[in-house]
Amino acid sequence: MNPEPIDWKKYLIVFLFTLGLFATASFVSNYFSNKKVDQLKSIQDKIAIDILSSETQFSLLSELSCKNVSTYSILGGELGELGRKLEWGQENLGKSEEVTYLRKYYSLLQIKDYLLMKKINFRCGGNFAFILYFYTTAENCSECEREGLVLSTLRDKYPDLRVYSFDYSTDLSAVKAMLDIYKIEDTRLPALVVDDEVLTGFHSIDELEIKINESFKLQEKETIEIENKE
Amino acid sequence: MQTIMTSVSTVIFNMFIFLSVYVQVFFLITFFENRKKIVTRTGKIKLATYPSVTVIVPCWNEELTIKGTVDSLLELNYPQDKLKILLVDDGSTDNTLDVIRSFEKYENVKIFHKENGGKHTALNFGIKRTDTDFLGCLDADSMADKEALVRIMSYFEKSPTTMAVSPSVVTNKPKSILQSAQKVEYDMSVYVKKMLGLIGGIHVTPGPLTIFRMKVFDDLGPYRHAHNTEDMEIAYRMQKNHYSIDQCNDAYVYTNTPNTVKKLHKQRLRWLYGFINNTIDYKDVLFKKKYGNFSFFTLPAGILSVVAASYLIGRFFYKIGDIIYLKIVEYETVGFHISRELPTIDPFFLNTQSTFLFIIILLYILVITSIVLGRKMSEEKSGFSFDMVYFFIIYGIIAPFWLINAVYSTVLSKKPTWR
């Protein structure tokens, strides 16, 4: 009694077939990933145009009126949304190069937004508070994760709080310039900048709330001063 | 370091998924290769000769089901003078003995009572008293279809080298959702067993009415305890000795399935524990050309399902643990906080990454195909049934428990009991 001989050819055919199925699945998933990267690109482009347009508008009209400029500030949420999508994309899309590139661009947009908003805030009397947040993804930073949670809670609580987050390892001269200005070191992350004051290490929600409220008061005072001058 | 761990885990994960798809594709290709050979007979058939067959019914505390079992044997479309029925009471403590005594009046029924020693001892007790060339066993919780035996015997008539033929074990009419879910699983295994039969890779000759040539026991010896899965061990032993086993897909045996989760768990724990431990006992059979597809396909596929499922369960619990951990960190950091923004569903965040989603969909399609094909073979019904939904949900929830338990029991050498 001999066993049925093994049909090696069949084992191979099944292997090739399975490989084919995997390739198809991978092709389909790649297609969707590409679509998502495209989606990210188009959101980013739209935001870039918005910022550029507001900047230009501001330059044109700054001396005359503040009325028209304020429209941009409504869009603040979009930048945060894009940030969340990019972060998710970094972890899940498996297109690291393209996403890294988009994240660089995003950092730049954040800086531009920060500068513009500060100007608008100053000249046109907005009541915004700003936090620059530096973290790292290069190493495991559990404090950064916790600080991130604190900041999103605060952002949720204070719609007029604008948080800009920067990955320490971002290879972009503009980000490096900021790191230089505030003397941020990678050994002391997370780091926060509130009203030009640098805070390193983890800061709880209560500590930051005090700072933010001070910042809001400061802005208010400045606004009143400007109005009085005018 | 963490990224290395993550990518190792991803590679392992993809490998398991790949191999699982491989197994399903292997079955499907086997099906298409042989689809003309797979016939499902609906009417009565006749044999050139009707060899004598002994059917042993081992029973231990089966007072409720034993009557139906014996009745089904007496009603078989097989000459009763060629059929010997041995009812072996394995030291029941209930009324089983009285119930089987009521069959004394039949000439071809013999009744024995012995001290309790476990199913394999009852079977060996019967084998010693068998003088026919063919014998089989019928578990006392099962009932044979009228045509089952004659259809099985037609396989022996066709092939003198076939040493055992197992039937299609299907469920008795399901009375609950749990039993409906099991029905789907049994239908699927009709297909799987048939495919394994076609490639000569059957690894279990189930208690309900597998018929053997007496030569099997004469040559290879009696049943063994074999971790309470004697019907699996004998199949392993036959494969090791190149005794071919076939599967008769249109010989139906209806079995009563466990009606509670606890009983189902106990049964599956025993089966899985039996599979793991018999495979360990027969590990020298693995990946040896001389043992054919049994060695290169059946056993590896079985091992894969245990290992891959354990891994997936581990991964699942790890992820759940991770989510809980993050929630705790979040609570500690910012307290209980409800976002003012309502959570919105953005299709962007649907994970279509790393082929995972599509392969899982594919795997489901392949599994559903095998259920549909099995259903067609066992019931001549095609298409979907709602029971499949029960199957996926219920097994998805409870199967991990018996898997974990079986692996755990093996590691700690803790033997599961029969009932």
Side-chain angles (χ1 to χ4, degrees):
Chain A
M1 277 165 286
N2 288 321
E4 213 138 311
I6 299 182
D7 181 0
W8 295 115
K9 216 170 101 188
K10 179 172 166 185
Y11 279 78
L12 182 70
I13 291 171
V14 173
F15 178 79
L16 294 176
F17 212 89
T18 311
L19 209 62
L21 289 173
F22 255 69
T24 314
S26 145
F27 177 80
V28 176
S29 97
N30 206 19
Y31 169 80
F32 280 101
S33 289
N34 281 336
K35 279 211 114 166
K36 282 183 186 176
V37 171
D38 288 346
Q39 203 182 333
L40 287 175
K41 275 185 195 152
S42 74
I43 298 171
Q44 211 152 28
D45 285 344
K46 184 181 168 294
I47 294 176
I49 290 175
D50 284 341
I51 292 179
L52 195 64
S53 144
S54 296
E55 260 177 350
T56 318
Q57 220 179 2
F58 188 78
S59 311
L60 284 172
L61 304 174
S62 59
E63 302 303 318
L64 302 170
S65 162
C66 277
K67 269 181 208 156
N68 299 318
V69 190
S70 57
T71 48
Y72 170 69
S73 63
I74 302 162
L75 299 169
E78 281 186 15
L79 204 57
E81 174 75 14
L82 176 65
R84 276 196 293 280
K85 285 186 176 173
L86 278 170
E87 200 180 316
W88 185 89
Q90 180 102 353
E91 281 168 23
N92 296 301
L93 283 183
K95 302 230 155 233
S96 50
E97 256 175 54
E98 277 165 286
V99 178
T100 307
Y101 172 77
L102 287 175
R103 280 175 67 112
K104 268 193 208 174
Y105 191 22
Y106 172 71
S107 303
L108 199 59
L109 287 181
Q110 283 196 107
I111 299 174
K112 278 174 88 78
D113 183 82
Y114 170 64
L115 296 173
L116 177 64
M117 287 310 294
K118 269 201 119 168
K119 265 195 230 166
I120 294 177
N121 210 25
F122 182 69
R123 289 213 56 83
C124 305
N127 193 12
F128 288 107
F130 302 94
I131 293 182
L132 302 179
Y133 166 49
F134 299 92
Y135 63 94
T136 178
T137 50
E139 51 195 289
N140 198 1
C141 172
S142 58
E143 301 240 299
C144 301
E145 276 162 32
R146 287 173 64 213
E147 197 64 76
L149 287 169
V150 167
L151 290 173
S152 29
T153 310
L154 283 174
R155 190 154 36 186
D156 203 50
K157 203 167 167 188
Y158 301 98
D160 287 343
L161 172 70
R162 296 183 83 100
V163 179
Y164 301 95
S165 20
F166 301 94
D167 188 341
Y168 185 87
S169 46
T170 308
D171 185 21
L172 191 71
S173 53
V175 174
K176 289 201 168 126
M178 294 231 298
L179 292 172
D180 276 346
I181 293 168
Y182 296 108
K183 301 199 172 37
I184 308 287
E185 289 164 28
D186 59 348
T187 49
R188 291 158 66 207
L189 294 174
L192 298 160
V193 178
V194 188
D195 282 327
D196 292 338
E197 185 189 350
V198 180
L199 310 165
T200 51
F202 175 76
H203 288 270
S204 73
I205 196 159
D206 299 329
E207 282 174 73
L208 287 181
E209 247 180 327
I210 297 168
K211 300 259 177 218
I212 294 163
N213 283 324
E214 276 171 20
S215 177
F216 276 131
K217 267 184 212 148
L218 202 73
Q219 308 292 348
E220 228 168 293
K221 226 168 87 186
E222 279 173 5
T223 313
I224 293 165
E225 277 168 19
I226 294 164
E227 276 168 4
N228 287 345
K229 269 186 207 165
E230 281 170 358
Chain B
M1 189 60 195
Q2 211 178 9
T3 40
I4 295 172
M5 289 286 282
T6 318
S7 43
V8 168
S9 155
T10 311
V11 168
I12 295 177
F13 180 74
N14 278 312
M15 195 185 74
F16 282 144
I17 300 285
F18 184 90
L19 292 173
S20 307
V21 174
Y22 185 95
V23 169
Q24 292 297 330
V25 172
F26 196 98
F27 282 137
L28 207 60
I29 288 187
T30 307
F31 175 79
F32 283 110
E33 267 179 346
N34 296 284
R35 66 185 187 283
K36 290 211 176 94
K37 273 195 233 165
I38 306 166
V39 279
T40 305
R41 296 162 286 191
T42 46
K44 290 193 169 175
I45 59 159
K46 277 204 171 119
L47 302 179
T49 56
Y50 288 83
S52 293
V53 182
T54 301
V55 177
I56 304 161
V57 183
C59 29
W60 181 67
N61 293 352
E62 318 265 8
E63 58 178 4
L64 296 177
T65 52
I66 184 69
K67 189 177 179 304
T69 306
V70 183
D71 281 342
S72 78
L73 286 173
L74 291 169
E75 282 163 22
L76 280 175
N77 173 26
Y78 204 81
Q80 285 292 321
D81 59 324
K82 299 281 184 185
L83 178 68
K84 294 185 176 176
I85 301 167
L86 308 184
L87 308 178
V88 183
D89 175 39
D90 189 23
S92 295
T93 51
D94 68 351
N95 245 348
T96 304
L97 192 59
D98 291 341
V99 179
I100 58 177
R101 281 209 173 113
S102 66
F103 290 100
E104 265 170 340
K105 57 183 183 254
Y106 295 94
E107 253 178 48
N108 57 339
V109 178
K110 280 194 181 136
I111 291 145
F112 301 95
H113 174 74
K114 66 180 268 298
E115 251 182 50
N116 182 263
K119 188 179 166 191
H120 70 291
T121 62
L123 287 169
N124 290 336
F125 184 94
I127 291 172
K128 269 190 205 152
R129 285 154 186 81
T130 299
D131 53 7
T132 54
D133 287 342
F134 292 90
L135 86 154
C137 146
L138 182 62
D139 288 347
D141 59 355
S142 307
M143 283 173 292
D145 181 80
K146 267 188 182 176
E147 306 301 319
L149 186 59
V150 68
R151 286 179 186 166
I152 288 176
M153 295 311 289
S154 75
Y155 275 54
F156 286 111
E157 194 176 70
K158 232 173 10 192
S159 160
T161 56
T162 297
M163 300 308 284
V165 177
S166 63
S168 280
V169 183
V170 289
T171 61
N172 226 342
K173 280 207 171 66
K175 292 189 190 87
S176 65
I177 291 177
L178 186 68
Q179 288 177 325
S180 300
Q182 291 179 68
K183 180 178 178 300
V184 174
E185 190 205 10
Y186 276 82
D187 283 350
M188 182 167 71
S189 66
V190 166
Y191 162 79
V192 170
K193 292 272 168 58
K194 185 72 197 176
M195 296 309 116
L196 289 178
L198 287 165
I199 62 167
I202 288 180
H203 71 295
V204 56
T205 42
L209 211 65
T210 297
I211 303 292
F212 299 85
R213 286 186 197 268
M214 189 59 195
K215 188 175 166 18
V216 174
F217 297 99
D218 287 344
D219 294 358
L220 306 180
Y223 276 111
R224 293 174 192 164
H225 177 267
H227 318 284
N228 276 334
T229 42
E230 74 301 319
D231 55 355
M232 193 181 279
E233 192 276 338
I234 189 71
Y236 276 56
R237 216 187 314 164
M238 288 177 72
Q239 291 286 4
K240 193 177 177 181
N241 291 282
H242 310 314
Y243 283 46
S244 87
I245 308 168
D246 210 339
Q247 150 85 358
C248 177
N249 59 294
D250 54 3
Y252 308 118
V253 178
Y254 306 98
T255 192
N256 287 315
T257 48
N259 54 2
T260 65
V261 172
K262 204 176 157 193
K263 285 185 202 161
L264 179 66
H265 178 86
K266 196 132 212 180
Q267 183 194 45
R268 294 321 162 97
L269 174 63
R270 180 170 63 80
W271 288 4
L272 205 55
Y273 180 86
F275 170 74
I276 296 171
N277 287 280
N278 282 313
T279 307
I280 293 172
D281 293 348
Y282 280 85
K283 57 183 179 301
D284 51 327
V285 171
L286 260 173
F287 297 117
K288 300 243 168 69
K289 216 169 133 187
K290 60 178 172 182
Y291 301 122
N293 288 317
F294 177 72
S295 150
F296 272 89
F297 182 75
T298 312
L299 289 187
I303 295 167
L304 169 79
S305 66
V306 173
V307 176
S310 307
Y311 175 79
L312 291 183
I313 294 164
R315 196 177 145 107
F316 175 76
F317 282 112
Y318 175 78
K319 295 235 155 163
I320 294 282
D322 206 36
I323 289 170
I324 293 171
Y325 172 75
L326 286 178
K327 281 282 157 200
I328 291 171
V329 170
E330 187 180 327
Y331 181 77
E332 278 177 358
T333 315
V334 293
F336 188 68
H337 170 78
I338 299 169
S339 174
R340 289 185 314 145
E341 285 167 41
L342 287 172
T344 47
I345 297 162
D346 187 336
F348 182 87
F349 293 109
L350 180 70
N351 203 340
T352 50
Q353 152 238 10
S354 71
T355 67
F356 169 76
L357 182 72
F358 302 100
I359 282 292
I360 296 294
I361 292 172
L362 189 76
L363 203 54
Y364 267 92
I365 293 172
L366 286 167
V367 171
I368 290 170
T369 311
S370 53
I371 296 170
V372 170
L373 291 173
R375 207 165 160 234
K376 201 158 177 245
M377 274 176 214
S378 65
E379 299 179 73
E380 274 293 295
K381 272 186 205 161
S382 49
F384 292 91
S385 90
F386 200 71
D387 294 346
M388 289 183 201
V389 180
Y390 296 144
F391 169 69
F392 283 116
I393 294 174
I394 293 176
Y395 275 67
I397 296 169
I398 60 178
F401 289 96
W402 63 67
L403 182 79
I404 292 168
N405 208 339
V407 174
Y408 174 82
S409 304
T410 304
V411 173
L412 294 186
S413 318
K414 234 177 96 188
K415 293 188 175 86
T417 53
W418 199 282
R419 274 184 221 165

